[in-house]
Each structure stands twice: as structure tokens, then as C-alpha cells.
Amino acid sequence: MQRSPVRGFVSALPLLIAVGLVPGSVWAQGVPPSSAGATLFESKCLACHSLEANRIGPMLRGVVGRKVASAAGYEYSDALRRVKGQWDAARLEKWLQDPQSVAAGTRMAFSLPSAAERKAVIQYLASTGATGR
Ligand code: HEC
């Protein structure tokens, strides 16, 4: 299986824009559908998370549909480990509004008060898929 260089470039776009290598106007040509969510992910989540690697928080690529607390090699809190089942949009919505309401005692000390922002970020996370886009 080969990864197309064009798709590789498109998926690298948010990063390239963030570091200023590609002008933001590229978005205006309508490339990715979830640019608002991607931008939010970068500004709100990237401090602790990345799509590809565990950092302060676990890696998040493909988290929608993934079993809770299952990123390989990440040391979850007992609070999150005790949560059964998978992440779906409804559970993520609750989580981003108030992580303690999903897993009392979790170490994620962050929430997104805006419903519109939660929705956009969840859509973005869903678009990242477990095996690429
Ligand atoms: C201040 C650091 C911080 C920020 C900012 C942050 N997180 Fe987290 N996140 C964490 C930590 C730490 C955990 C692990 C929690 C635990 O083990 O109790 C976590 C866990 C998660 C999980 C559970 C993943 C799994 O594998 O079960 C999701 C989903 C998540 N974060 C989404 C987000 C999103 C989306 C954002 C941005 C809107 C965000 N987080 C911002 C620190 C952060």
C-alpha cells in the first residue's frame, strides 16, 4: 500500500499553515472539509495531545470508535481506565464539556465550553480515522 504524495501533502496542510509555510488562503480554495475543527484541535488540544504520539495526553488519531483508554503505551489514570466501552460523538461531547462527568478523577484538566467548538473538534477527530483519512 502506497500513500499518495498529494494526500500526504493535504493532511500535512494544517501543520504547514500553523508554521507559516503555506498561506492560510489555501483553505479558501476549499480543500479540507473540517478546517474549523482542525484549527481548534491545533489551538486547544495540541498543547497536550497529538494525532500520532502520546504526549501529556494520549494520541488521538482514530479516537472516535476507539475503546476508552486504549492508546498503546499511554499511562491512563485509574479513573479513565474504569470507563467501559468506546468513544462515540455523544460521549466525547460530554467529555469535552466536563471530563470529570465521564471519569471522576481523570487527569484531563481541560474543557471546551462552546458547544459549536465541541462539535467541530469531534467532527475533525472523526475525520482522522484509524488508518488515515
Ligand atoms: C492540559 C492538557 C490537555 C488538554 C489541553 C487536552 N487534553 Fe485531552 N487528555 C489529557 C490527559 C492528561 C488525558 C488522559 C486522562 C486520564 O488518563 O485520566 C486526556 C485524555 C483525552 C481523551 C481520552 C482518550 C482515550 O484514549 O481514551 C480524549 C478523547 C481527549 N483527551 C480529547 C481532547 C481534546 C479533543 C482536546 C482539545 C479540545 C483535549 N483533549 C485537550 C490532557 C489534555
Side-chain angles (χ1 to χ4, degrees):
M1 270 229 304
Q2 280 207 331
R3 198 171 157 83
S4 127
V6 175
R7 290 177 75 189
F9 176 71
V10 168
S11 54
L13 265 179
L15 188 66
L16 295 174
I17 288 168
V19 298
L21 293 177
V22 174
S25 60
V26 170
W27 293 125
Q29 290 158 27
V31 190
S34 53
S35 58
T39 306
L40 279 164
F41 182 77
E42 280 155 25
S43 60
K44 309 281 185 178
C45 319
L46 217 56
C48 297
H49 290 278
S50 109
L51 285 184
E52 314 299 347
N54 297 329
R55 300 181 59 215
I56 294 169
M59 61 80 94
L60 289 181
R61 180 178 295 285
V63 72
V64 180
R66 189 167 92 189
K67 193 172 173 297
V68 175
S70 66
Y74 183 80
E75 282 289 316
Y76 289 93
S77 65
D78 290 344
L80 200 56
R81 268 188 211 145
R82 277 194 294 267
V83 176
K84 304 265 182 277
Q86 300 187 339
W87 288 111
D88 59 15
R91 184 175 260 175
L92 281 166
E93 160 68 24
K94 256 183 103 183
W95 174 254
L96 293 180
Q97 189 172 15
D98 179 12
Q100 300 294 333
S101 75
V102 173
T106 175
R107 287 198 312 266
M108 177 157 142
F110 176 82
S111 65
L112 264 189
S114 154
E117 291 189 355
R118 291 195 298 273
K119 190 168 171 220
V121 168
I122 293 166
Q123 270 172 3
Y124 169 70
L125 287 174
S127 79
T128 63
T131 52
R133 271 146 225 263

